[in-house]
Amino acid sequence: MIDVASLSQIEQLGQQHVLRYWSELSETQKARLNEQLTHVDWEMIRYYLSDLKSSERDVRSGRGTIAPPAHIVRCPRTDAELDSWDEARRKGEQILREGKAGVILLAGGQGTRLGFPHPKGMYPIGPVSGKSLFEMFADQVVTLVARFGHSIPYLIMTSDGTHEETVAFFEQRDYFGLGHANVFFFRQGYAPCVDSETGKLLCVDKGVLGMSPDGHGGLLAALLKAGLFSEMKNRGVEFLFLHQVDNPLVKICDPAFLGLHVRHGSEVSTKVVSKTSPDEKVGLAVDLNGRTAIIEYSDLPSELANEREADGGLRFWAGNAAIHIFNRSFMETVATSAANLPWHRAHKRIPHIDDEGHLIQSEVENGIKFERFLFDTLPLAKTALIVESSRNEEFAPLKNSSGEFSAEYVRTHIVQVALNWLKAAAVTVPEAATVEISFRFASSAEDLALRVKEVEDLTFDRPVYIGP
Ligand code: UTP
């Protein structure tokens, strides 16, 4: 039996073609198609179908008056600013001691640009250790738990494409010491793909809809569905630190960031780094119509992107590092509100079957994928805060198979951070040395300085791993 509610929507929206092969399907195939149909957001399909070609239907993240973000904390430069950051750090440390912080990792992406045949988090990125991204993150969380004496739940969002391998990877490695009870895997949802000319749902096989992950903004619905807002509330977690799977330099639960978030009464805070050039392809923190927002690089008009301040710096310099802190209650409110987050359209080449049921690999962008973006939460917050961080110390995402943001690029940055910390601790180290410092040994230049006796006799004539 076809699900009655879905059938009514299919008929209303002229999508009967998805049932063309119904009588040929096995019971299992029918059940699967029914399951897929119950996940279709029919209201969204109806909205786009009503005027498929209209660009008015596209959520442009930068529509309106754009100005640099006013609600921003820059990196500390003066003594007074350093003191203020120190105070924020102490506040953040207190939050960690009280067990009020949890961590979310976004690991549902398909990683198409990298072209690695496993979930991106399994990529062996450690320049000397060969550790995976997942292990490097776990090292940080384990270190925080030991330092502050309180458990930290780690919530890992996967998608159908990454779930099984990710879970198996953690299980085989005994959760990297995080403890099974503190790691929560949950899957993000899916959205159907439609033909860009006709708006018809695309099928990838007889009775199988073409679906794609619903974007990192799918996080909110996925947390709700998995019951994780209640779970976190029961554990006393008030703040959710969020990071992406590709940046091994992220400072998980950075206490100063947590402290600033609380001091400013922010509901969602975002770290930004300086853009390297006007045309760097990174999202931007701005004020949009007077509200803090992040817009896509393609939504910043080029005359604005090229504007300079009197000192020669870019006026729009604040690149989104995709590192956030959310109040748990704010995130839950957005997740449960009827409107939730808007859908964005992306035109892609999407494989699909033709009228005879043959699979077609399209040479042109034939279809539309729908995604939600996490940063659309910012304008919904009563207060959103932007915090500047050091690009060299905190931002080196693994995105591409070569060039900028490739594995080689990321490893070079990991090594550079280690060299900077060693030099700051007055350890003599050649410029060309290859060094990796485990977070379990030291998680900052200050930490390393305290353990300098243990490293000052090292020779750096071959790659060195400084571990616990
Ligand atoms: P990206 O936008 O870089 O996408 O994701 P991606 O899928 O990893 O890579 P490409 O574009 O296919 O090459 C940024 C972060 O958001 C997560 C990713 O796992 C990464 O941590 N993400 C993205 C999801 O969790 N789900 C999604 O649907 C999309």
Side-chain angles (χ1 to χ4, degrees), residues 105-115 120 157-159 162 188-189 212-218 243-247 322 348 371-372 398-400:
L105 167 59
L106 299 181
Q110 293 170 309
T112 42
R113 286 169 288 171
L114 182 64
K120 204 189 269 188
M157 184 171 85
T158 59
S159 57
T162 64
Q188 70 179 102
S212 66
D214 55 0
H216 39 62
H243 70 110
Q244 302 198 335
V245 77
D246 39 34
N247 180 15
K348 302 272 179 185
E371 283 189 329
R372 283 178 158 141
L398 176 63
K399 297 277 187 195
N400 301 321

Side-chain angles (χ1 to χ4, degrees), residues 13-15 17 45 48-49 52-53 194-202 366-368:
L13 296 174
Q15 302 281 351
H17 65 286
I45 301 288
Y48 286 101
L49 272 182
L52 197 66
K53 295 284 168 59
V194 302
D195 184 290
S196 27
E197 289 300 318
T198 62
K200 300 263 189 230
L201 296 175
L202 290 172
N366 61 311
I368 299 174

Side-chain angles (χ1 to χ4, degrees), residues 16 46 71 222 255 261 352:
Q16 289 87 341
R46 188 185 315 279
H71 202 194
H261 173 86
H352 60 285

Side-chain angles (χ1 to χ4, degrees), residues 132 134-143 145 152-156 163-186 440:
S132 63
F134 283 140
E135 182 165 7
M136 291 182 95
F137 301 139
D139 280 354
Q140 288 205 47
V141 178
V142 166
T143 305
V145 169
I152 297 179
Y154 202 14
L155 282 48
I156 302 178
H163 187 82
E164 267 83 24
E165 267 193 282
T166 301
V167 174
F169 193 68
F170 274 77
E171 279 173 354
Q172 282 154 15
R173 287 155 185 82
D174 202 16
Y175 295 85
F176 303 106
L178 292 161
H180 178 213
N182 296 314
V183 182
F184 299 83
F185 295 103
F186 62 105
R440 294 193 192 226

